Amino acid sequence: MSRWIEVGQRITHKNDEVAADLRRRFTVAGVKVCSLISAPGSGKTAWLTRTLAELKVREQRAATLVGDLESDCDARRLAQAGFPVRQIQTHGICHLEAAMIEEFCLGWDLSELDYLFIENVGNLVCPLAFDLGQSQKILMISTPEGEDKPLKYPQAVAWAELVLVTKMDLAEAVGFDSSALVENIRRVNPDIPILFTSARSGLGMDEWLKQL
Amino acid sequence: MSRWIEVGQRITHKNDEVAADLRRRFTVAGVKVCSLISAPGSGKTAWLTRTLAELKVREQRAATLVGDLESDCDARRLAQAGFPVRQIQTHGICHLEAAMIEEFCLGWDLSELDYLFIENVGNLVCPLAFDLGQSQKILMISTPEGEDKPLKYPQAVAWAELVLVTKMDLAEAVGFDSSALVENIRRVNPDIPILFTSARSGLGMDEWLKQL
């Protein structure tokens, strides 16, 4: 076990240097960078697709980088709003790294952007160790996953600066107990803001855009 | 990237040796070992809890090892049927390894068991690289996760010997297209058996127990 962690720490140290450089460039360019993690299928892409459409209406400028092991399904969905989108195919790697962000931002004029969204590979563990130079760390938990997720993945809750509870339109069908989820989140991260959202109904979109 | 993969390969080579030894012991003991992976919140524990209750009625003997980063929520749910259950807390490790299975089986008389279920940490990537000495590899995909999961996580579909589609009771609410999911699974793994299940309604339980 300790061998695994040691090796990981050496790799993430190098990642941190690249991320620090990215953060400097993002800051100079004045772009807000939101890094999103969640379990696979929690609705990151659906929420972002709706967010991008809303930003378009508001004449904001955004770009998105999206990570998946394979396929460009997500990038095609995210491109609907007409903003720049690039798919990062990790081919077996379980998380995004700062070097990938650096590579896939190439050619984009960051100073032309208000927002850059980074949608990580669906994974509640490995992405936590890799700083991507973001300004805000966002964790999504969908209602069908159950209220106990924060107890089983406390590191993800501790990492986050904002929790979006997604798929609230399914809350009744799955017997979701929102106060139990909030209690479990607050046990790990007492002061974190929590927004209840639905990409289908638009619930929470105004509040989300306001805090952006 | 390549450095990450190289290091991983050295670690998994050691794991494979332990797993091969475990497999010999499981075979000698005559216990069928089912290894389950899925995204977090896909319903592994709910399905196993119901499975264990059904096996109890049929006077079969089973035990379960369940992995999570923290907490013993799952072990407490799985213990309801009265069979032996042990919680493996990985404390930050994103997957189970053969050495953990070896350690947590200690004291169990394997020859007294018909089935051993191993519920991995919720993760569709990292567990694939770690053989646990199992006899059957099972992938669960829940209906709210969407039909495109096999395209985005093809390695998980290729790894599996059986796919359980879980939470079929939510299929209508989430607008789930089962033929699209089947098509996407078959693109990666053309001959794999696929069972449609619901831990709530019991859909698919008879077929699942039959193939066990």
Side-chain angles (χ1 to χ4, degrees):
Chain A
M1 276 318 78
S2 67
R3 165 116 186 87
W4 179 265
I5 292 167
E6 269 169 43
V7 170
Q9 281 171 345
R10 260 181 289 145
I11 293 171
T12 56
H13 180 69
K14 205 174 165 184
N15 180 81
D16 286 348
E17 293 176 357
V18 181
D21 184 51
L22 276 176
R23 186 168 285 111
R24 274 190 293 272
R25 288 166 54 193
F26 292 146
T27 306
V28 169
V31 56
K32 175 164 180 178
V33 182
C34 298
S35 177
L36 291 97
I37 72 156
S38 82
S42 291
K44 292 185 293 301
T45 308
W47 183 250
L48 271 186
T49 300
R50 185 148 185 166
T51 299
L52 293 170
E54 299 280 348
L55 290 175
K56 195 80 181 181
V57 172
R58 286 160 175 77
E59 296 183 347
Q60 300 287 296
R61 300 157 306 172
T64 308
L65 296 174
V66 53
D68 277 301
L69 276 77
E70 308 292 341
S71 92
D72 63 350
C73 310
D74 283 358
R76 280 187 283 121
R77 289 166 65 194
L78 290 161
Q80 288 166 23
F83 288 125
V85 177
R86 287 188 185 148
Q87 177 80 48
I88 306 176
Q89 293 186 353
T90 64
H91 303 302
I93 308 285
C94 52
H95 58 271
L96 294 180
E97 301 188 6
M100 301 177 189
I101 304 304
E102 192 177 38
E103 181 189 341
F104 279 80
C105 276
L106 273 181
W108 280 351
D109 182 353
L110 297 171
S111 65
E112 290 280 301
L113 296 176
D114 300 304
Y115 303 102
L116 172 63
F117 298 100
I118 303 174
E119 182 184 327
N120 219 307
V121 176
N123 185 326
L124 287 177
V125 188
C126 313
L128 308 178
F130 294 85
D131 184 7
L132 304 179
Q134 70 277 319
S135 3
Q136 190 178 29
K137 295 182 278 188
I138 301 164
L139 167 66
M140 289 184 167
I141 300 175
S142 69
T143 55
E145 290 167 47
E147 302 83 3
D148 61 358
K149 281 293 142 305
L151 304 178
K152 293 157 76 174
Y153 300 87
Q155 294 87 346
V157 177
W159 169 91
E161 293 158 342
L162 170 68
V163 173
L164 297 184
V165 182
T166 58
K167 305 193 188 181
M168 280 302 289
D169 49 289
L170 294 178
E172 207 181 311
V174 301
F176 177 70
D177 180 346
S178 61
S179 59
L181 180 71
V182 168
E183 194 186 317
N184 288 337
I185 291 171
R186 297 250 185 260
R187 272 198 218 184
V188 181
N189 198 336
D191 301 316
I192 193 166
I194 303 168
L195 290 183
F196 291 88
T197 73
S198 163
R200 270 193 190 170
S201 73
L203 176 76
M205 183 55 74
D206 286 344
E207 223 175 330
W208 156 247
L209 292 175
K210 211 176 290 164
Q211 72 81 43
L212 263 189
Chain B
M1 277 317 83
S2 67
R3 166 116 185 87
W4 180 264
I5 292 167
E6 269 168 44
V7 170
Q9 282 172 344
R10 261 181 287 145
I11 293 171
T12 56
H13 180 70
K14 206 173 165 185
N15 180 81
D16 286 348
E17 293 176 357
V18 181
D21 184 51
L22 275 175
R23 186 167 285 109
R24 276 189 293 273
R25 287 164 55 194
F26 292 147
T27 306
V28 168
V31 56
K32 175 165 180 177
V33 182
C34 298
S35 176
L36 291 97
I37 72 156
S38 81
S42 292
K44 293 184 292 301
T45 308
W47 183 250
L48 271 187
T49 300
R50 184 147 185 166
T51 298
L52 293 170
E54 298 281 347
L55 290 175
K56 195 80 180 181
V57 172
R58 286 161 175 77
E59 297 185 347
Q60 300 286 295
R61 301 157 305 171
T64 308
L65 297 174
V66 54
D68 277 299
L69 275 77
E70 308 292 339
S71 91
D72 63 350
C73 308
D74 283 358
R76 281 187 283 121
R77 289 166 65 197
L78 289 162
Q80 287 165 24
F83 288 125
V85 176
R86 287 188 185 149
Q87 177 80 48
I88 306 176
Q89 293 186 353
T90 64
H91 303 303
I93 308 285
C94 52
H95 58 271
L96 294 180
E97 300 187 5
M100 302 176 188
I101 304 304
E102 192 176 40
E103 181 188 342
F104 280 80
C105 275
L106 272 182
W108 280 352
D109 182 352
L110 296 171
S111 65
E112 290 279 301
L113 296 175
D114 300 304
Y115 303 103
L116 172 63
F117 298 100
I118 304 175
E119 182 184 327
N120 219 307
V121 176
N123 185 326
L124 287 177
V125 187
C126 314
L128 309 179
F130 293 86
D131 184 7
L132 304 178
Q134 71 278 319
S135 3
Q136 189 178 30
K137 296 181 278 189
I138 301 165
L139 167 66
M140 289 183 167
I141 300 175
S142 69
T143 56
E145 291 168 46
E147 302 83 1
D148 61 359
K149 281 294 141 304
L151 304 178
K152 293 157 76 175
Y153 300 87
Q155 293 87 345
V157 178
W159 169 90
E161 293 159 341
L162 170 67
V163 173
L164 298 183
V165 182
T166 58
K167 304 193 188 182
M168 280 302 290
D169 49 289
L170 294 177
E172 207 181 309
V174 300
F176 177 70
D177 179 347
S178 61
S179 59
L181 179 71
V182 168
E183 194 186 318
N184 289 337
I185 292 171
R186 297 251 184 259
R187 271 197 219 185
V188 180
N189 199 335
D191 301 316
I192 193 166
I194 303 168
L195 290 183
F196 292 89
T197 72
S198 163
R200 270 192 189 169
S201 73
L203 175 75
M205 184 54 76
D206 287 343
E207 222 176 331
W208 156 249
L209 292 175
K210 212 178 289 168
Q211 72 81 44
L212 264 188

